[in-house]
Amino acid sequence: MTETFAHLCSPLALRHLRLKNRITFGAHTANMSEDGLPGARHLGYYLARARGGCAMIVVEPVPVHATAVLTRGNFRHQSDDIIAPFRRLTDACHQHGTAMIQQLYHVGAHGDAANSWVANWSPSGTASHHDGDGSHAMTEGEIEAVIDGFVQAGRRACRAGFDGVELFAAYNALIDQFWSPLTNRRTDRWGGPLENRLSFAVRIIEGIRRQVGQDFVIGMAISGAEPYPGGLSLADKAEICAWLDQRALVDYFTVGTGSYLNNFEGIVPSFLTEPLLGTKDAAAIKRVVRHARVQAEARIRTPANGEQVIASGGADLVSLVRAQIADPDLANKALAGRAADVRPCINCNQECIGRRLRDYWISCLVNPSVGREFAWAETEVSRSERPQRVLVVGGGPAGMEAARVAAGRGHRVTLIERTEHLGGQLRLAARQPKREEIGEFLAWLERQLTQLQVEIRRDTELSADAIAEGDYDQVVIATGARPAASGFQRALPHVARLPGVELDHVASVEDVLSGSVALGPRVLLVDDEGGWRASGTALYLAERGHRVTVLTPALQVGHHLGHTASLGLLAKALAERDVAVITSAALSAIERETVTILDLLSGRERREPFDAVVLATLPEADAGLAAALGAGGVAATAIGDCIAPRKATMALYEARKLALEL
Ligand SMILES: Cc1cc2nc3c(=O)[nH]c(=O)nc-3n(C[C@H](O)[C@H](O)[C@H](O)COP(=O)(O)O)c2cc1C
Ligand code: SF4
């Protein structure tokens, strides 16, 4: 049955604008500037979402002052040089009927002095939660300078053709540092009673309004309840919004979750959090405002989620950030009754905020075109001039994606898979707790293959000779990787084979998740990778009643997940399931009923009893077929883990890149 989205489709008046539907591509730092200016990468990225049908785009923030610089990809602050290139962006997106808003920010105490090379400024010189530094308590003159920075940035946005600006008062940034008694301890006219604490925001809004006139939207990003001692409550936020609303100062509030103070992982909530996380808080704000529109955000992942929020009356607009990173055409597909064709975001955070936190331009695990639209967008929608017969060997993510893109471009594609299931290692990952969204992505890929009439042959293996005899113009090898039999650990590079690895009670993560082994109650899981392969399997086993201990050479479990804003949530999930952790350790040997653990700090060994050992060690590339074809002189291209075992991101990237080149 076709899903319809009557509420999501309906237009909305926003100050002087009429938004064509209720879907916003909300503010996020894409980190794509070139020399501080928006260039081709940035334009391609936003234009794809404007073409994709969303009603409003909030372009990533411009820092309003030298002390507001946060990333290497930030735009130039306090410079009119940005006006002309932004005008190219707004003109291009306006062609698609998209309202264009620019976010303006200053994160106060939580800036990144490693990028700005100046001390962070804040109302009262409180601690930065970005690093271990302190901040500088602003003087009167400095407060006026930052207000002017906001006002001039508003003027520039207006001259660049934006329809409005969004002031960043979320996550305990500078504006809401003034609001909160926790961070505003001033005794002058900027501190104390609520009206004083709001005066910084009011002066900014009034100053911008004077510059831009009446036909210009001034929105505000806030976060809802701050769930830590001394944080502003939802009632406090409602009081602030109501105060601003009674004076008709703000045209819309977007209500997010999280805070730099003690709740950073709530800002871009991963799959470990509840769906529709910010919706209740948005509804509370909606109840107290009369003039302003209210936008809900955070973990609104699908068009159906968005419809539910708008239909409930809890918000006027919904911001879908990661959902539209994953599929730029989400709005058009949903509004055309094709929601099943929307490529789902899996809320993994690996390549969006994961790349932003490493200070690269952002991309996406399920959509490697993100950040490459300027180079790939045309080819993606074009048909190949030379349709060919393509054989793809291996039905994991790389093979499925290569087959999908090649078929979409008009090639005749056969996909063979040696097991009865498509999906490869991602199919197993989807069985880990809370990771069913991965299964949605695989189901989407499979539906697309069917629609594109890819011939899928399961339970099929072809030898190099059989492939050579086949009548294929192109052969793509995506045979993936398999668990290594050696138990090699990177903490012990001189030990090629872990003693005892061959014993019956030793299994791989893949054995566990595929259900092919029965384990005893006490399980030792060796995490040699620091990612979800180990951590998710620990949760999986714990939920099935095993007493799980994770052993890692690092200082914490999942040490490569820090940039995905999930590490604290993971630690909590492990603790809630009584998973024990042994850090800074490696396995010297496995015996029948014990293991010998090497403490990497002291160099001492000890024995501990376990009934089973599960290895999350480096898999090995399944490169046999590619090598045999090469030896036989048959042209074939390898993609993904059969080149080297890596994250799914690289498999999907190499698959799409290759298929676009066919
Ligand atoms: C890469 C990335 C960067 C972000 N940067 C900002 C930002 O600069 N300003 C902001 O208000 N929110 C920022 N956010 C938060 C988003 O606006 C949004 O609240 C969050 O992603 C949750 O919504 P979603 O589930 O629709 O993705 C960022 C999110 C991502 C993924
Ligand atoms: S990287 Fe993951 S969380 Fe980010 S947009 Fe892509 S699928 Fe969603």
Side-chain angles (χ1 to χ4, degrees), residues 301 322-330 333 339-346 364 366-369 380 401 404-405 440-441 444-445 448 656:
R301 206 174 54 84
R322 287 168 295 172
Q324 291 181 90
I325 294 176
D327 192 337
D329 296 316
L330 176 145
K333 286 179 183 171
D341 283 340
V342 174
R343 177 176 33 235
C345 162
I346 59 173
C364 174
V366 300
N367 181 14
S369 298
E380 276 190 70
E401 175 69 358
R404 183 189 74 81
V405 177
E440 282 178 35
F441 170 56
W444 174 86
L445 271 173
Q448 300 300 306
R656 190 172 298 185

Side-chain angles (χ1 to χ4, degrees), residues 302-338:
T302 64
N305 289 164
E307 175 70 10
Q308 183 190 336
V309 174
I310 305 288
S312 73
D316 304 295
L317 283 160
V318 281
S319 162
L320 282 74
V321 172
R322 287 168 295 172
Q324 291 181 90
I325 294 176
D327 192 337
D329 296 316
L330 176 145
N332 280 344
K333 286 179 183 171
L335 304 187
R338 293 174 45 224

Side-chain angles (χ1 to χ4, degrees), residues 72 95 118 140 148 194 319 387 445 460 479 548 551 565:
R72 272 187 295 170
Q95 300 277 321
V118 285
E140 271 283 327
D148 188 56
L194 180 66
S319 162
L445 271 173
T460 302
T479 41
V548 182
L551 176 143

Side-chain angles (χ1 to χ4, degrees), residues 608-631:
E608 287 195 21
F610 284 100
D611 304 306
V613 177
V614 175
L615 299 178
T617 51
L618 188 67
E620 58 192 23
D622 192 345
L625 182 61
L629 286 168

Side-chain angles (χ1 to χ4, degrees), residues 98-172:
T98 318
M100 297 298 290
I101 307 288
Q102 180 163 58
Q103 194 178 65
L104 310 180
Y105 80 179
H106 193 307
V107 297
H110 316 303
D112 188 347
N115 271 321
S116 69
W117 290 98
V118 285
N120 300 326
W121 288 1
S122 69
S124 301
T126 47
S128 168
H129 282 245
H130 181 275
D131 48 37
D133 290 349
S135 66
H136 164 72
M138 294 159 80
T139 64
E140 271 283 327
E142 287 161 350
I143 291 174
E144 293 295 344
V146 174
I147 290 172
D148 188 56
F150 271 103
V151 172
Q152 295 309 321
R155 171 187 63 80
R156 276 181 213 110
C158 188
R159 281 189 53 204
F162 283 100
D163 302 295
V165 290
E166 180 178 290
L167 302 176
F168 188 66
Y171 319 134
N172 194 249

Side-chain angles (χ1 to χ4, degrees), residues 45 49 271 322-327 343-355 358 361-372 376 396-398 401 404-405 423 425-427 429 435 437-442 444-445 532 561 563-564 646-657:
Y45 176 70
R49 276 77 195 168
F271 63 87
R322 287 168 295 172
Q324 291 181 90
I325 294 176
D327 192 337
R343 177 176 33 235
C345 162
I346 59 173
N347 280 181
C348 65
N349 280 353
Q350 279 176 223
E351 308 304 328
C352 51
I353 193 68
R355 284 178 59 91
R358 285 173 286 167
W361 47 265
I362 66 165
S363 192
C364 174
L365 188 154
V366 300
N367 181 14
S369 298
V370 172
R372 302 183 171 92
W376 286 6
E401 175 69 358
R404 183 189 74 81
V405 177
Q425 298 200 30
L426 277 191
R427 199 175 69 84
R435 303 201 81 188
E437 287 157 10
I438 295 177
E440 282 178 35
F441 170 56
L442 292 175
W444 174 86
L445 271 173
W532 285 115
L561 295 173
H563 62 266
T564 68
R646 290 159 294 165
K647 307 259 176 318
T649 303
M650 288 306 290
L652 288 157
Y653 162 73
E654 288 170 2
R656 190 172 298 185
K657 180 169 182 294

